[in-house]
């Protein structure tokens, strides 16, 4: 248990967004994808997820780890099937955002959700590193209440809003990890993580990659950081993390690009260079391949959701 405490203490948690949504028409998104982790609380109606279309009951929570594509159905399974790109482009056709505190949980076919990051040493997405599928959380009133608290705070403009949201979001992350441990879920993956997150050479690599996303991150450079041979560094990294270093680096670069799209007015060309892509066209191709939508459309989506 001490190992898990160390991991929890090392987590950097960042709130992304939270909303209460009312379904406008039933639909299935065959490849729902987001960089952030999403915790969905179903108030009324029905949600199904996964290829087996497992049902989420009213009052239950669906956790979708960031970076993982998941099939999700809102409302009847007889609705139309769309792509993640379609959902992002036409979100207002499928969901209406509720901004009235008194109506949270009252509308038919409604849910609340919180989106957040949880990174070990501010470098590695904890839940993504477990490589686990979306899963259901039942009979957890504490977690459900935390989701509602975050949504309520996010709807209001009160003193201390950001601080409370951050506190509640951190509580959400701890409760999800406790749920995983209590139900002995993904035990092997957790044990592996608790081992490699304590390796100082790997921590040095994580930190170096994070601080140099726009620079040279070849295996030759990484081998010098970890003080291992160039031929061995890829094997070493994959042995401890389950992925090769260049795949991890690309994911970090793209995640940083999403952050810059959300928070700056830099051009696509500038953002591509900032995260290590000299060729803007290649950056755009890789971005669309990873997220299913062009970088410019991602920016328009975020702008629309902020209104």
């Amino acid at each position: 248990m001490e190992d898990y405490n160390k991991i929890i203490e090392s987590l950097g948690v960042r709130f992304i967004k939270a909303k209460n949504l009312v379904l406008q028409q039933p639909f299935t998104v065959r490849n729902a994808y987001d960089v952030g982790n999403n915790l969905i609380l179903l108030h009324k109606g029905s949600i199904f997820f996964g290829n087996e279309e497992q049902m989420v009951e009213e009052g239950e929570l669906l956790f979708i780890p960031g970076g993982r594509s998941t099939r999700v159905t809102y409302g009847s399974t007889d609705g139309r099937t769309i792509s993640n790109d379609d959902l992002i482009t036409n979100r207002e056709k499928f969901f209406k955002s509720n901004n009235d505190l008194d109506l949270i949980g009252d509308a038919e076919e409604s849910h609340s959700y919180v989106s957040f990051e949880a990174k070990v040493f501010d470098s590695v997405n904890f839940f993504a590193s477990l490589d686990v599928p979306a899963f259901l959380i039942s009979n957890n009133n504490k977690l459900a209440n935390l989701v509602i608290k975050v949504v309520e705070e996010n709807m209001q403009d009160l003193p201390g809003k950001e601080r409370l949201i951050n506190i509640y979001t951190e509580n959400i992350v701890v409760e999800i990890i406790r749920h995983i441990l209590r139900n002995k879920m993904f035990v092997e993956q957790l044990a592996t993580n608790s081992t490699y997150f304590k390796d100082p050479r790997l921590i040095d690599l994580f930190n170096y990659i994070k601080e140099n996303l726009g620079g040279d991150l070849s295996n030759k450079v990484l081998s010098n950081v970890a003080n291992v041979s160039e031929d061995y560094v890829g094997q070493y990294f994959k042995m401890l993390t389950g992925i090769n270093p260049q795949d991890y680096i690309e994911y970090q670069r793209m995640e940083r690009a999403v952050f810059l799209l959300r928070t700056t007015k830099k051009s696509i060309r500038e953002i591509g260079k900032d995260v290590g892509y000299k060729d803007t066209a290649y950056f755009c191709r890789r971005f669309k391949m990873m997220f299913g939508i062009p970088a410019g459309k991602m920016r328009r989506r975020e702008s629309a959701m902020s209104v």
Side-chain angles (χ1 to χ4, degrees), residues 282-295:
Y282 178 70
F283 164 67
C284 290
R285 286 198 302 272
R286 296 302 299 173
F287 189 98
K288 185 173 182 180
M289 185 175 293
M290 180 168 288
F291 299 118
I293 60 171

Side-chain angles (χ1 to χ4, degrees), residues 29 47-57 60-64 70-74 77 133-137:
V29 55
I47 295 177
F48 305 85
F49 70 98
N51 293 330
E52 296 77 23
E53 295 190 329
Q54 183 176 350
M55 185 174 183
V56 181
E57 301 283 354
E60 291 184 324
L61 300 112
L62 171 62
F63 179 65
I64 305 177
T70 307
R71 182 182 180 90
V72 183
T73 296
Y74 296 91
T77 54
F135 59 86
L136 200 59
I137 301 175

